[in-house]
Amino acid sequence: MPDIAFLSATQLAAQIRERQIGCRELLDHILDRVERYNPSMNAIVVLDVERARTRADAADAALARGDVWGPLHGVPMTIKESYDVEGLPTTWGLPALADNRAERDSTVVRRMRDAGVVLFGKTNVPVLLADWQSYNPVYGSTGNPWDLSRTPGGSSGGSAAALAAGLTGIDAGSDIGASIRNPAHYCGVYGHKPTYGIVSPRGHATPGVLSQADISVVGPLARSAEDLETALDVMAGADGLDSECWRLSLPKETRTQPREFRAAVMLTDPNCAQDDALTTKLQETVDALARIGVSVSDTALPAIDTMESHRLYIHLLRAATSARMPDADYAEQLSFAESAEADDFGYLPMVARAVTQPHRDWLRAHERRTHLREAWARYFQEWDVLLCPTAASTAFPHQQDGQRHERTILINGRPQPTVDQLFWAGLSSVVYLPSTVAPVGLAKDGLPCGLQIIAGHGRDKTALAFARMIERELGGFVPPAGYD
């Protein structure tokens, strides 16, 4: 029998409600697994054991009285280190913030607690959440449970690794450059990047920052598509000043059967070299979907210029992330931008121009994005989802020397810039669309693959319903070997 730790969060919650396992019993079982498996993987970097045990005992007592706190009553949870949890450190991997302890819970933490979870720890991240690996000078490096010599992804890499290894019941991450989607793909779990603005990021920021960054969102990671939807329903909704004037009502999705869905497919693009082994596995999944009745097209693509879309994404992405840039680095970028040719669209010149652009240029870029959003809206009037990769390959070996833009990964045996993979991150991010990543099996190298499911604006439930259909019809999460 598989370890109970690999059940989905909703299955765990059901077993608790049915008195098949106690909240404290389940927490202690998970903590035993953490003690056994986490030292070699380093996915969970902060533990809050005593408060968690007190909470689990209270959850058991409440259940004995017939009081169910919510849909995730008693489920053990970890969360990305960058979220504020009252009394715990929030460092974003920066030594300068090693002593920074949160005074209150972030909105997501508060809402997940209200849903019943027992939060017991925090998971590893890269410095300032700025890598598709998860290592930093405060907590060290995290390995992928499928192969510890490889990255679990980033920036929510510790979250995905902990889920895959059965060290937590559910988790939450953030995503501006596939930081939920990429780790889900690399570790073989589920992740959902919500429509921009529907989940409050309050309490997911460096000290003193209250405003939401452009493009950036927060959302759930889990071991099932149902878990993602349950968590999204808990997390989403107006918060703070917004709660005075608006209420969220996401369109429901009633379709469940393959024949009811229309899926367009885009598995390659000239902007990003794609590994054949990954493409083959994703194509096998698409072929299987067609066989069971999904209406599939590999020619029905949105009426957009993907190169222009990608350049616009880099322009707006690096404008957003420039807020954290030290003044000395900004001065260097300004000098570089002034010396670069205007028609040089290499990654570094694009970043330099984005970081130092006048606000007038940003407004023009935002206007171009708005036109792009309208094009996508017209597209999703005809198609329910667009299926595409999450990254260029399966999880790559750790490479922590130099700067991210200097590194390469092997694609079909040839070195390619790691930053090229941002194409698949930006396709939905630049236009604020929801994306779900669902595991669809193993590539030829024995590593997991995730299929990215993009849906229309506010149609999070459609992407999630499609992921649930894939899970039911073709299979879903499979644990890595060695963690039973």
Side-chain angles (χ1 to χ4, degrees), residues 67-212:
D67 182 9
V68 177
W69 290 341
L72 297 172
H73 185 109
V75 174
M77 177 180 180
T78 48
I79 198 162
K80 189 174 183 176
E81 200 272 353
S82 45
Y83 282 90
D84 282 348
V85 177
E86 182 183 356
L88 298 185
T90 305
T91 73
W92 289 54
L94 293 169
L97 294 180
D99 296 326
N100 176 53
R101 292 187 174 264
E103 296 180 357
R104 61 186 63 84
D105 286 344
S106 62
T107 298
V108 166
V109 169
R110 173 170 49 81
R111 289 179 172 174
M112 291 298 281
R113 287 197 203 273
D114 289 346
V117 302
V118 176
L119 198 149
F120 71 90
K122 302 183 81 175
T123 51
N124 206 19
V125 298
V127 173
L128 285 174
L129 317 186
D131 204 331
W132 275 13
Q133 302 178 86
S134 293
Y135 70 96
N136 61 74
V138 179
Y139 297 116
S141 180
T142 299
N144 189 316
W146 287 87
D147 179 349
L148 294 177
S149 72
R150 295 176 182 266
T151 175
S155 60
S156 310
S159 301
L163 281 162
L167 307 188
T168 187
I170 197 165
D171 207 298
S174 61
D175 192 313
I176 192 172
S179 285
I180 287 172
R181 294 165 287 163
N182 158 263
H185 160 62
Y186 282 170
C187 292
V189 298
Y190 290 82
H192 182 70
K193 181 192 85 65
T195 298
Y196 181 78
I198 70 169
V199 181
S200 172
R202 184 60 63 94
H204 181 269
T206 51
V209 175
L210 296 180
S211 58
Q212 180 171 3

Side-chain angles (χ1 to χ4, degrees), residues 8 38 80 120 163 169 183-184 214 250-251 334 339 349 373 376 409:
S8 70
N38 193 60
K80 189 174 183 176
F120 71 90
L163 281 162
D214 186 29
L250 289 175
L334 183 60
S339 63
R373 293 180 69 196
W376 278 101
I409 58 173

Side-chain angles (χ1 to χ4, degrees), residues 364-435:
R364 288 169 173 163
H366 181 58
E367 181 64 24
R368 297 202 308 275
R369 167 170 52 197
T370 303
H371 286 265
L372 199 59
R373 293 180 69 196
E374 293 294 331
W376 278 101
R378 290 190 293 272
Y379 177 72
F380 280 119
Q381 289 176 0
E382 182 175 357
W383 295 94
D384 301 316
V385 295
L386 175 65
L387 308 180
C388 62
T390 311
S393 69
T394 55
F396 58 85
H398 296 294
Q399 41 175 284
Q400 300 174 3
D401 295 330
Q403 299 298 310
R404 182 184 182 187
H405 66 264
E406 300 170 329
R407 301 174 190 146
T408 61
I409 58 173
L410 290 179
I411 302 296
N412 298 323
R414 296 182 178 181
Q416 301 287 346
T418 59
V419 292
D420 283 3
Q421 300 182 97
L422 286 169
F423 172 77
W424 295 116
L427 195 61
S428 62
S429 289
V430 69
V431 285
Y432 299 156
L433 295 178
S435 301

Side-chain angles (χ1 to χ4, degrees), residues 3 5-6 30 33-34 37 161-169 223 477 480 483:
D3 194 305
F6 290 113
I30 294 293
R33 291 181 57 84
V34 171
Y37 296 120
L163 281 162
L167 307 188
T168 187
R223 282 188 293 269
F477 168 75
Y483 294 90

